[in-house]
Amino acid sequence: MKIWIFNQYAIPPGFPGGTRHYALARELLRRGHDVTVFAGNIHYLTGQEVPLPAGCHVRHEVVDGVPFMWIRTPPYRGNGAGRLRNMLAYAVRIGTPAVEAAARSRPDVVVGSSPHQFGALAAWQIARRQGAAFVLEIRDLWPQSIIDLSVLSPYHPMVWILAQIERHLYRRAQRIVTLLPHAVEHIVAKGGERSRIEWIPNGVDLELFPSEPVEDRSDTHFTVLYAGAHGEANALETVLGAASELQARDDGKRIKFVLVGDGPEKARLQALVAERGIVNVEFRDPVAKKDMAKVLRSADALVVCARNTELYRYGISFNKLFDYLAAGRPILFASGSANNPVADADAGVTVTPENAVALAQAVLELSKRPRAELDDIGARGRAYVEQHFSMQVLGDKLERTLIAAANA
């Protein structure tokens, strides 16, 4: 089959962030399918720009065997009007004749991913024009997510518009892929057909996480590392609170926290560290996905934080969590989400979300365990992710879903 995947934020491993569609496209290519990924040229996390020739709005590039179509979009920072313009520009430009012509032959299946609904709606329109099956991928439940995060009121006109798009897409997709394990009832209530919904979560490209351990952990510090976006939903103030709690205790002075990544909250978090005199927190720049295994394995434990919000009642599928499991390090899971892969894998400790004292105590207890015991905990996470969330396993599920959509 010829498959077009539209995700504005798709990236290859040379960039920081999630590489879901790069990895899944590569799995589909290995199975004999013809796949192209259509992505925006502005990195959603760092603002880094993939250069395009002057006057051109699209550029074709094969990245490690995976064909990408880079779509020119305006640069932006933060979550304001600039980001909205960036989203709309992507949605408009992927629907231009130049982009469809650049991809040459017609697709059998079009996948529209919804880091935002405007891009997914444009992908549906392309599928209709091309006479192709349409598969909708739901990453976040728009507009419910922005309501749960109190970004917009349920009565805001934009929420109404997004709700209409949501219902339209659910009703017209031949198949719906959700990354969230408990989203089925929500999708059905909004017009989706239960028999067409498939759960295909994020996972890990094990080729980027070889099983051989990297022994470069510190002998003088117990390092807890976070790697990912620094945004409102990530609740990283919890980590700062835990760090402050531990630096005041004699038995916590050898513990340090490292935050790797970028995002709209990073400057504020750095200011809080300076203001509160927190000395056991280090901020680092984001790293490319291909370098993530080494970074994660330099730590003794890894931490995931999330807001205590209704947002996660449908479950979570954090990219970072699957990377953590693959890295083979114990995980501190500070979330109240409906699913808990860390507990399922017996690969760490779960604490109450947004509770800095509880997180500090969990870190302290982990720091006192022998390294061999910590390695055993990490090994359980590694085995679990290999069995259930490798890109080979998820690629099989996606292939079956796309074939079913094409034959519907």
Side-chain angles (χ1 to χ4, degrees):
M1 292 188 301
K2 186 171 182 63
I3 302 158
W4 290 0
I5 299 175
F6 290 89
N7 173 11
Q8 180 173 356
Y9 304 142
I11 53 171
F15 293 86
T19 54
R20 172 183 175 86
H21 286 122
Y22 162 86
L24 287 174
R26 193 172 58 172
E27 289 296 329
L28 293 170
L29 287 162
R30 287 171 174 166
R31 291 161 171 76
H33 303 288
D34 183 347
V35 188
T36 302
V37 179
F38 296 76
N41 77 318
I42 301 295
H43 191 282
Y44 68 97
L45 186 62
T46 66
Q48 184 177 349
E49 182 175 345
V50 176
L52 273 66
C56 293
H57 290 309
V58 59
R59 177 168 75 87
H60 179 266
E61 180 184 14
V62 178
V63 185
D64 296 329
V66 177
F68 271 74
M69 287 286 184
W70 297 110
I71 311 300
R72 187 186 299 279
T73 57
Y76 73 97
R77 292 292 288 177
N79 290 320
R83 185 175 186 185
L84 179 59
R85 285 195 298 272
N86 176 273
M87 293 176 179
L88 293 174
Y90 174 81
V92 169
R93 285 176 180 164
I94 61 175
T96 60
V99 170
E100 294 183 46
R104 300 183 180 91
S105 58
R106 302 171 73 89
D108 300 295
V109 180
V110 170
V111 178
S113 186
S114 70
H116 60 81
Q117 287 171 310
F118 306 116
L121 179 62
W124 168 75
Q125 292 170 331
I126 291 167
R128 186 178 60 170
R129 282 198 302 272
Q130 295 285 343
F134 175 63
V135 174
L136 174 66
E137 181 185 83
I138 300 299
R139 300 170 70 85
D140 297 306
L141 291 169
W142 288 56
Q144 191 59 53
S145 293
I146 56 177
I147 295 171
D148 289 340
L149 284 172
S150 300
V151 175
L152 293 176
S153 160
Y155 307 104
H156 193 284
M158 180 58 72
V159 170
W160 184 87
I161 291 170
L162 293 174
Q164 304 314 303
I165 297 174
E166 178 186 34
R167 289 180 178 274
H168 174 89
L169 292 173
Y170 288 160
R171 290 170 177 167
R172 285 161 177 79
Q174 275 71 47
R175 286 293 184 276
I176 300 169
V177 171
T178 175
L179 278 67
L180 306 176
H182 301 291
V184 173
E185 296 305 325
H186 173 90
I187 295 170
V188 171
K190 301 295 183 180
E193 186 176 315
R194 190 181 300 272
S195 63
R196 296 182 179 183
I197 302 171
E198 301 287 345
W199 175 51
I200 305 178
N202 279 318
V204 66
D205 184 349
L206 292 174
E207 292 183 15
L208 299 176
F209 286 83
S211 57
E212 297 80 8
V214 178
E215 290 298 336
D216 56 358
R217 287 172 283 183
S218 170
D219 291 324
T220 58
H221 289 90
F222 184 87
T223 302
V224 180
L225 186 141
Y226 170 87
H230 293 39
E232 170 65 23
N234 305 115
L236 291 175
E237 301 97 329
T238 309
V239 175
L240 303 190
S244 180
E245 180 82 13
L246 288 168
Q247 78 175 12
R249 300 179 54 159
D250 288 339
D251 56 356
K253 291 189 182 302
R254 63 179 289 266
I255 298 169
K256 79 170 184 177
F257 294 81
V258 176
L259 304 181
V260 180
D262 202 352
E265 290 288 294
K266 185 168 184 175
R268 187 181 70 83
L269 294 167
Q270 289 173 316
L272 283 174
V273 165
E275 177 185 321
R276 298 176 184 175
I278 303 172
V279 298
N280 56 352
V281 172
E282 176 187 349
F283 289 92
R284 295 183 189 171
D285 292 335
V287 299
K289 188 75 162 190
K290 62 184 178 61
D291 300 319
M292 188 57 70
K294 182 177 180 181
V295 171
L296 296 179
R297 286 172 173 163
S298 70
D300 296 284
L302 306 167
V303 62
V304 176
C305 289
R307 290 279 175 223
N308 187 15
T309 169
E310 284 292 297
L311 176 66
Y312 301 118
R313 64 189 177 278
Y314 304 108
I316 51 100
S317 187
F318 299 148
N319 275 301
K320 67 177 75 67
L321 185 52
F322 300 103
D323 292 348
Y324 286 8
L325 290 164
R329 295 290 183 262
I331 300 169
L332 296 139
F333 187 70
S335 172
S337 59
N339 64 322
N340 185 340
V342 175
D344 293 342
D346 192 17
V349 181
T350 300
V351 301
T352 306
E354 298 192 75
N355 188 327
V357 174
L359 179 59
Q361 186 61 36
V363 170
L364 188 61
E365 290 175 3
L366 266 187
S367 73
K368 295 176 179 178
R369 298 191 190 188
R371 180 165 284 183
E373 184 179 341
L374 298 178
D375 287 344
D376 287 343
I377 296 171
R380 293 197 291 268
R382 172 73 187 202
Y384 180 74
V385 82
E386 285 179 354
Q387 181 179 358
H388 299 287
F389 299 105
S390 73
M391 280 300 164
Q392 184 174 6
V393 170
L394 301 181
D396 287 340
K397 292 182 70 173
L398 181 59
E399 182 185 37
R400 292 194 297 269
T401 299
L402 297 180
I403 291 172
N407 293 333

